[in-house]
Amino acid sequence: LSTTNNSTALTTQVLGADLNIVKTPDNGSTDIGTEYTYTIKTTNAGKVAASNVVVTDTLDPDMSFISDSAGCSSSGQTLTCTKTSIAPGDTWSFTVKVKMPTNSLDDVTNTASVTTSTDQQNATNMSDTATTHITGPNLNITKDANVTDVGLGKTFSYTINVSNANTAPASDADIEDQLPSGVSIISILSNDGWNCPATPITGTFHCTKTTIPGSSSSSITFEAQAPSATTGTVQNTAKISHSLNSNDGTDTASVNVTGVVLTIDKVATPVVEAGGLIDYNITVTNTSHSDAESLTLSDNLATSLGAGYTINSVINSDGWSCSGVGTSALNCTRPTLLAEGASSTIHFNVNVPYNATLGTRTNTASVTTTTTPQPIVSDSASTVIQGADIVVIPPTTTTAVANKNVVFSVEV
């Protein structure tokens, strides 16, 4: 009788419940402060029913619980949901609605876990975490000037446009504007609900707005005044911020401040006889964006023409105040010659001395202004001085008598 095979071992696998939980967000991202829904599904993949099922949903600290579809109880950031039993192959599904953070753009995490009083075949899939990206407002700022060049002390406009590229509203929007030295805001042409300081404004200032809705834009237009004495490029930078971002963008507008530019054109009678009059027309033109102030025009006859020439009369001064009639120097002043092509012509004439040197004589006049950059410009005109033609007419008689006068005629 063999005793080597009189016993055997039998292994039996005891199967229990097999719960797994999945937490699914509506999508991967949502705007700040919005209501958002998660779906929690618990499935029993085991062979026996799972009893006394408890789902615990731990909300992110910055979330607020609104409601659920499973009759859960909430305490602080913890949501507890219960179900008596989940049969094999069945799924328990419900939704949880929350409000997303209003004061942070950090991603939020939300973990749900499940327990049961029934033994589990697999305990590795009894929790799940969903991460949601929070999108906030995205403000963009542009600043533009309506001109490229502007004259000294002249006005122009800046327009600031702020747009929100996202659907989330921006709260406590703030524009910080750093005006260049010498530039001032003299009026606000349109503000679209922005709260700005009273004009005039210089230096750094702020304009604020309570809310900029998502997918919207808002603009402000300022009337500005350029520096009155300094030329060159002035740059103006504006920055936009809101409650969640202290610097959401900047933009800079540049304007070139140009000084005064004068031209002078002098025209003279081309040919004059000695003892006659030279007629002069001097035209001064302002071709710049800046007004010319305190202009002075000078024409010194003695320096350019020589001795004996004098101012006979000023025929038309065209807004200039002139002196020097009867002398060899014409001096004229004018308070202002406006920008953008304003011009003025002085018409006067000059006595040519009888003993003037014959030939071409050139006369130069100059004009200047106290406005930056205080240019001095000049122009010349030439006149040919001719002598008088003299003709001697002989007497009508051809016989001369001794000691008697013979009469000749001289025609000039």
Side-chain angles (χ1 to χ4, degrees):
L1 179 64
S2 173
T3 60
T4 59
N5 57 356
N6 60 355
S7 67
T8 184
L10 177 64
T11 301
T12 303
Q13 183 178 11
V14 179
L15 299 177
D18 185 7
L19 295 181
N20 63 79
I21 189 169
V22 176
K23 183 164 189 176
T24 307
D26 271 354
N27 52 58
S29 64
T30 189
D31 285 340
I32 189 170
T34 56
E35 293 184 357
Y36 193 72
T37 300
Y38 292 96
T39 300
I40 299 176
K41 291 182 179 181
T42 303
T43 301
N44 185 359
K47 299 298 183 179
V48 298
S51 301
N52 303 318
V53 178
V54 179
V55 170
T56 303
D57 190 8
T58 304
L59 303 180
D60 186 275
D62 291 325
M63 287 181 179
S64 300
F65 172 70
I66 297 176
S67 64
D68 68 88
S69 63
C72 306
S73 63
S74 64
S75 176
Q77 297 303 104
T78 302
L79 190 66
T80 303
C81 311
T82 61
K83 190 172 180 65
T84 304
S85 177
I86 301 176
D90 283 355
T91 297
W92 176 33
S93 177
F94 60 93
T95 58
V96 176
K97 182 181 288 187
V98 298
K99 184 175 182 180
M100 287 301 187
T102 59
N103 58 354
S104 173
L105 295 177
D106 294 337
D107 290 350
V108 293
T109 58
N110 189 193
T111 299
S113 60
V114 61
T115 61
T116 176
S117 61
T118 304
D119 288 341
Q120 280 284 102
Q121 292 178 213
N122 180 10
T124 62
N125 52 2
M126 297 182 70
S127 68
D128 191 33
T129 299
T131 299
T132 305
H133 178 64
I134 303 300
T135 56
N138 180 12
L139 298 185
N140 298 308
I141 188 169
T142 59
K143 180 156 194 177
D144 299 293
N146 69 330
V147 296
T148 302
D149 299 308
V150 66
L152 292 163
K154 293 295 186 178
T155 60
F156 62 102
S157 67
Y158 286 121
T159 296
I160 296 176
N161 186 73
V162 177
S163 60
N164 188 350
N166 284 351
T167 55
S171 300
D172 301 327
D174 182 286
I175 295 172
E176 180 181 286
D177 197 327
Q178 300 175 348
L179 292 174
S181 176
V183 175
S184 61
I185 300 298
I186 59 176
S187 68
I188 300 175
L189 303 178
S190 64
N191 65 5
D192 199 16
W194 290 86
N195 181 27
C196 300
T199 57
I201 305 169
T202 57
T204 299
F205 68 98
H206 293 259
C207 293
T208 59
K209 193 169 188 178
T210 304
T211 304
I212 300 179
S215 304
S216 70
S217 62
S218 181
S219 62
I220 315 174
T221 299
F222 304 96
E223 184 180 20
Q225 187 170 35
S228 59
T230 305
T231 60
T233 300
V234 291
Q235 293 185 323
N236 185 200
T237 299
K239 179 180 75 171
I240 185 65
S241 62
H242 55 88
S243 60
L244 297 172
N245 192 332
S246 61
N247 186 355
D248 214 5
T250 61
D251 195 31
T252 300
S254 297
V255 175
N256 185 36
V257 182
T258 59
V260 70
V261 178
L262 298 178
T263 64
I264 185 172
D265 181 52
K266 184 167 189 176
V267 178
T269 307
V271 179
V272 173
E273 290 182 352
L277 294 172
I278 303 175
D279 207 48
Y280 289 107
N281 283 280
I282 301 175
T283 301
V284 179
T285 303
N286 184 353
T287 62
S288 68
H289 297 295
S290 299
D291 295 338
E293 308 287 346
S294 302
L295 297 98
T296 300
L297 184 144
S298 302
D299 192 340
N300 192 319
L301 306 181
T303 300
S304 55
L305 295 178
Y309 289 83
T310 58
I311 306 297
N312 179 66
S313 67
V314 177
I315 301 166
N316 185 3
S317 63
D318 195 15
W320 294 80
S321 177
C322 297
S323 62
V325 173
T327 73
S328 62
L330 179 72
N331 291 286
C332 302
T333 60
R334 185 185 180 96
T336 305
L337 188 61
L338 297 179
E340 314 295 347
S343 65
S344 179
T345 300
I346 303 172
H347 182 195
F348 66 101
N349 54 26
V350 170
N351 297 308
V352 181
Y354 286 100
N355 62 346
T357 301
L358 304 184
T360 300
R361 310 302 295 169
T362 300
N363 178 220
T364 300
S366 63
V367 66
T368 187
T369 172
T370 59
T371 303
T372 304
Q374 301 181 357
I376 301 175
V377 293
S378 60
D379 192 34
S380 301
S382 297
T383 299
V384 176
I385 308 298
Q386 295 181 338
D389 291 331
I390 299 176
V391 178
V392 178
I393 302 174
T396 55
T397 178
T398 58
T399 303
V401 179
N403 298 319
K404 296 290 183 179
N405 292 328
V406 177
V407 179
F408 291 85
S409 297
V410 178
E411 184 177 277
V412 179

